[in-house]
């Protein structure tokens, strides 16, 4: 890219960014990623109902095929009492869910 002889500061900065691979599209994508990450609700725990909201197409298989088959889930499960609602720590179990889907579902 050639820089004209008479350059204002804005054009010079834009040219330097472009030479470094920092385009307008790149900046917009990074800002969009940042906003999405920080604007969404942070989950600490989730239950079966919330799991089916995030992955509605496998609602009947979540407990039978994913949770009961993978012993890693047990360490992150909590219950408020003997018959209380079961909840799981969100971060590690959502990764288990992704792992299961990526390994067991067809392309």
């Amino acid at each position: 890219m050639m820089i004209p002889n008479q350059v204002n500061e804005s054009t010079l900065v834009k040219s330097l960014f472009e030479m470094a691979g920092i385009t307008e599209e790149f900046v917009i994508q990074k800002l969009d990623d940042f906003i999405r990450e920080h604007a969404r609700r942070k989950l600490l725990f989730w239950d079966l109902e919330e799991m089916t909201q995030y992955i509605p197409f496998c609602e009947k298989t979540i407990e039978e095929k994913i949770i009961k088959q993978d012993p890693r889930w047990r360490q992150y499960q909590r219950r408020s009492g003997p018959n209380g609602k079961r909840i799981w720590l969100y971060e590690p179990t959502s990764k288990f869910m992704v792992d299961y889907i990526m390994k067991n579902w067809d392309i």
Side-chain angles (χ1 to χ4, degrees), residues 29-75:
Q29 181 63 49
K30 288 296 181 184
L31 286 172
D32 189 48
D33 293 346
F34 179 83
I35 290 168
R36 282 188 189 177
E37 177 65 27
H38 291 84
R40 72 179 175 161
R41 180 177 74 136
K42 295 285 185 187
L43 284 178
L44 295 176
F45 293 91
W46 60 345
D47 60 14
L48 286 172
E49 184 180 320
E50 288 171 315
M51 289 178 200
T52 59
Q53 288 175 357
Y54 283 93
I55 310 167
F57 43 84
C58 68
E59 104 183 47
K60 298 203 186 247
T61 62
I62 288 177
E63 187 170 15
E64 289 300 318
K65 289 189 177 177
I66 300 174
I67 295 173
K68 287 184 178 179
Q69 301 297 323
D70 190 337
R72 298 177 295 175
W73 284 78
R74 196 93 178 119
Q75 66 184 322

